[in-house]
Amino acid sequence: MALPVSLRRLPAVIAMTPTIFFVVVVLCFGLMWTVWTSFTSSKLLPNNNFVGLEQYVRLFGSDLWQVAVVNVAVFGLLFIGGCLALGYVLAVLLDQNIRFEDGFRTIFLMSASLSFVVTGIVWQWLFDPTFGIQAAVRDWGFSNFRFDWLTRKETAIYALVGAGVWQATGLGMVIMLAGLRGVDQDIWNATRVDGVARWRVYVYVVPAMIRPMIATAAVLLSLTAIKIYDLVVVMTGGGPGISTEVPAKYVMDMLFQRSNLGQATAAATIMLLAISLLVGLPWVIVRLRQSRSVGGGQE
Amino acid sequence: MNRAVIPEGPKLRKISPSRIAIYVFLGVSAIFFLLPVYVMIITSLKPMAEIRTGNLFAFPREITLDAWAKAWSSACTGRVCEGISPGMLNSFKIAIPGTLFPVILGAINGYALSFWRFRGANLVFTMLLVSTFVPIQVFIFPLVRMMTATGLFGTLPGIILIHTGFTLPITTLLFRNFYAAVPEEMFSAARIDGGGFWSIFGYVLLPISTPIVIVAVILQFTGSWNDYLFGLIFAGRENQPMTVLLTSIVTSQYGEKEYNVNMAATMLAAMVPLMVYFASGRWFVRGISDGALKG
């Protein structure tokens, strides 16, 4: 065993080489390439003609992009809020020693195994004004019933939220349920003595106790929301008009339909920036605070 | 601990109004989650005439599998009318290697990162973690160029490589966190016995890795089966997965849409992940909570 330590670890390094190659070369290099391209006047073909922030000025001046940003904000807030709220309520109810818990959980989580493409097509059908839910309910005698969200500009984005919540609530529920299972049961004895109603404990105390799980679910859901693409393409194609355009679709359209590399890469860079600021930064702060509170030893 | 001495306050396990309210709420939620699937199934079994005149929720008067047959073998995706069946094979051709490679490599990586702390291991780990946050849109343009330059654009190996690369960070994190909980003594004992990198992995760690392997396989398989974006861009005409074909079938119809065919095609595309979901049961739940909570 005369091998120096570094040499004995060589197989580990060799085994990881493909991964290191991919992360460093493909991802880092690709990321820099995209950011660089966003500062050039590239159109159909990439060029290295530096134009400063011109692409970004044009991007934020474009109606399409402004609509897309507003939409992803509205979608994101309602989607994340909806999934967390419904997911939390379902998780709490499932945690009440109920019968058929496994059955209910299986049903609530089922849609999470589907693709957004499938979800989108099914919900588009349900929202169909001539044959969908609207027609069915009117058929039962409620002739003023309206469920034509998808065909109206002001409401189409909410139809996307509905389908998204249907798909992703189970995910939030499972993560928060795992948290509830870890809640110290003494809390119930303590609050019963104080005469605090059970639901109040669930509203005011338990969320703070399972904060890490809620945060995890929120991070996963926000990553999904910022990148939302498949659902929009399938359900609305960005329409009616441009009322449901989203940033991820802007990038794709600029790349493959309008051959505008500069705009596509500038939009992608803004998406990266948004994720870093809205998701990455809070996440790092929480992590740092956590590791400090346990003495910095835990990873 | 006799609860009866406390006169007020809700108690567990009693048929009270609040208990009933719980079941009602769960029942209504179950309907919300099941109804779309129910509508999808019955619509796929109805002839178009009945869809035009009947109620969305009504059970089919006359059950027909015509829409399924058409969705499978003759629905048109643009100019080609071969149904969704070629996509099924393609999806398997992409999802199986797209599951095996990231899981195998992820296991090796997780093992190397947990036990063989080589110089820069922490940096690699951090970069992998960070990369899971970066939106894919950032990489599309450079990747298209790189894949074109290497002749992999629009090929089966190309799309498999893309899937492997982008899911590798996640599988690595899964395995790394699993191995982080393995007692260090197990590893040092094997080292003292003269075990090398591969033999310790094969004889000591792999045998105890079954749970995490199952979790990773389920997550990876459903994930790559359900992928749309990568398949759309990188798979090429010959290898389009089911999700991409499904989208073309649904969006490329002219004239009146054949909703029954659309729903049958959607069912066909959803079937494999649904089967994995129902067969895996608790493992899927575990996969989601493990994958999420330890990341």
Side-chain angles (χ1 to χ4, degrees):
Chain A
M1 295 283 273
L3 288 171
V5 179
S6 58
L7 215 58
R8 268 187 276 132
R9 288 183 180 159
L10 198 61
V13 178
I14 292 171
M16 281 208 71
T17 304
T19 309
I20 295 169
F21 173 81
F22 182 79
V23 171
V24 175
V25 175
V26 180
L27 297 190
C28 288
F29 178 65
L31 197 146
M32 288 188 286
W33 193 351
T34 292
V35 174
W36 163 247
T37 309
S38 74
F39 291 108
T40 68
S41 63
S42 303
K43 276 280 205 183
L44 171 63
L45 294 172
N47 63 42
N48 287 327
N49 177 19
F50 184 78
V51 292
L53 290 171
E54 201 184 300
Q55 296 288 2
Y56 292 90
V57 172
R58 203 180 306 161
L59 180 68
F60 281 96
S62 122
D63 289 341
L64 196 61
W65 176 254
Q66 287 170 10
V67 171
V69 169
V70 172
N71 276 338
V72 83
V74 171
F75 176 86
L77 286 175
L78 294 175
F79 167 77
I80 299 166
C83 289
L84 287 181
L86 185 57
Y88 182 66
V89 172
L90 292 176
V92 166
L93 295 185
L94 282 186
D95 200 31
Q96 303 303 309
N97 279 315
I98 58 147
R99 299 178 69 173
F100 317 118
E101 186 199 318
D102 279 2
F104 278 121
R105 202 197 47 217
T106 306
I107 291 171
F108 299 154
L109 189 61
M110 178 183 64
S111 43
S113 71
L114 299 175
S115 117
F116 265 124
V117 171
V118 168
T119 300
I121 294 173
V122 176
W123 279 88
Q124 188 195 35
W125 171 229
L126 295 173
F127 274 112
D128 189 295
T130 3
F131 302 112
I133 289 179
Q134 174 170 301
V137 176
R138 285 186 179 180
D139 189 36
W140 290 333
F142 304 91
S143 54
N144 290 322
F145 182 77
R146 282 187 89 174
F147 201 61
D148 54 354
W149 298 4
L150 265 188
T151 51
R152 287 191 290 145
K153 282 187 179 179
E154 320 81 68
T155 51
I157 190 81
Y158 304 111
L160 293 173
V161 172
V165 167
W166 181 77
Q167 153 114 26
T169 294
L171 183 94
M173 180 199 73
V174 167
I175 294 170
M176 288 186 277
L177 188 58
L180 291 177
R181 291 284 141 89
V183 166
D184 190 349
Q185 292 302 310
D186 285 345
I187 178 184
W188 299 115
N189 297 327
T191 52
R192 195 179 300 122
V193 170
D194 292 342
V196 182
R198 214 174 156 82
W199 67 268
R200 283 181 168 274
V201 180
Y202 274 118
V203 173
Y204 296 109
V205 184
V206 177
M209 298 174 81
I210 63 164
R211 200 160 33 193
M213 284 75 184
I214 296 178
T216 306
V219 165
L220 285 181
L221 292 168
S222 29
L223 291 180
T224 311
I226 293 178
K227 293 187 287 198
I228 193 74
Y229 173 72
D230 327 16
L231 193 65
V232 179
V233 169
V234 173
M235 273 183 86
T236 66
I242 56 164
S243 60
T244 54
E245 290 288 343
V246 286
K249 186 166 176 292
Y250 187 92
V251 175
M252 287 291 285
D253 290 350
M254 283 298 168
L255 272 180
F256 296 105
Q257 274 157 31
R258 303 210 193 171
S259 309
N260 194 333
L261 274 179
Q263 281 295 291
T265 48
T269 307
I270 294 293
M271 284 179 71
L272 176 65
L273 217 59
I275 287 195
S276 319
L277 291 176
L278 297 174
V279 188
L281 198 64
W283 186 81
V284 168
I285 291 171
V286 168
R287 270 293 165 109
L288 284 179
R289 205 178 291 161
Q290 265 174 4
S291 59
R292 204 173 299 153
S293 66
V294 291
Q298 214 102 31
E299 203 175 339
Chain B
M1 286 295 274
N2 189 353
R3 284 173 192 159
V5 290
I6 303 166
E8 77 244 286
K11 287 153 208 118
L12 285 169
R13 285 249 172 228
K14 231 187 166 185
I15 300 179
S16 59
S18 65
R19 270 330 263 170
I20 296 169
I22 290 176
Y23 283 105
V24 168
F25 192 91
L26 286 174
V28 171
S29 307
I31 293 174
F32 168 67
F33 284 101
L34 284 177
L35 205 64
V37 180
Y38 165 77
V39 168
M40 170 161 67
I41 295 172
I42 58 164
T43 305
S44 73
L45 297 172
K46 288 175 184 171
M48 266 316 280
E50 196 182 327
I51 291 175
R52 260 181 249 118
T53 55
N55 190 296
L56 178 75
F57 300 111
F59 201 76
R61 282 189 295 266
E62 167 195 356
I63 289 182
T64 164
L65 288 175
D66 292 354
W68 283 71
K70 184 165 183 191
W72 178 251
S73 56
S74 66
C76 298
T77 55
R79 243 178 262 165
V80 193
C81 294
E82 292 174 338
I84 203 168
S85 50
M88 168 90 77
L89 186 64
N90 290 338
S91 280
F92 274 115
K93 280 200 274 191
I94 296 168
I96 291 174
T99 302
L100 291 180
F101 291 135
V103 171
I104 294 170
L105 284 171
I108 298 169
N109 289 343
Y111 160 69
L113 284 174
S114 301
F115 296 109
W116 300 79
R117 295 189 197 93
F118 52 89
R119 193 178 301 163
N122 272 331
L123 183 68
V124 172
F125 176 70
T126 311
M127 285 173 81
L128 286 171
L129 198 59
V130 168
S131 75
T132 59
F133 281 79
V134 181
I136 286 156
Q137 278 73 18
V138 171
F139 303 116
I140 294 176
F141 154 68
L143 274 175
V144 170
R145 306 288 297 189
M146 290 185 221
M147 300 293 274
T148 313
T150 48
L152 287 166
F153 186 73
T155 64
L156 191 61
I159 176 81
I160 292 168
L161 197 68
I162 292 275
H163 270 292
T164 307
F166 274 97
T167 48
L168 204 49
I170 297 158
T171 53
T172 301
L173 296 180
L174 267 180
F175 278 97
R176 187 239 177 225
N177 291 324
F178 180 81
Y179 291 138
V182 172
E184 182 78 29
E185 294 79 50
M186 243 175 114
F187 175 74
S188 12
R191 280 304 298 278
I192 291 162
D193 289 345
F197 182 82
W198 294 108
S199 60
I200 294 179
F201 181 59
Y203 292 112
V204 181
L205 286 156
L206 220 43
I208 58 165
S209 306
T210 320
I212 196 68
V213 170
I214 297 177
V215 163
V217 165
I218 292 170
L219 280 186
Q220 272 309 118
F221 186 80
T222 46
S224 49
W225 187 279
N226 286 337
D227 156 71
Y228 171 73
L229 193 62
F230 289 145
L232 179 71
I233 303 168
F234 295 102
R237 290 213 157 272
E238 302 301 304
N239 311 302
Q240 286 180 332
M242 266 187 132
T243 46
V244 176
L245 281 182
L246 173 64
T247 315
S248 346
I249 289 178
V250 172
T251 53
S252 75
Q253 287 166 357
Y254 300 103
E256 192 190 37
K257 288 201 168 189
E258 292 181 284
Y259 296 104
N260 50 358
V261 175
N262 289 353
M263 289 302 123
T266 312
M267 275 305 293
L268 285 164
M271 215 171 243
V272 173
L274 278 179
M275 270 163 23
V276 171
Y277 173 67
F278 286 114
S280 60
R282 283 183 167 274
W283 289 105
F284 193 89
V285 177
R286 200 178 147 176
I288 287 187
S289 22
D290 278 16
L293 294 177
K294 294 181 180 168

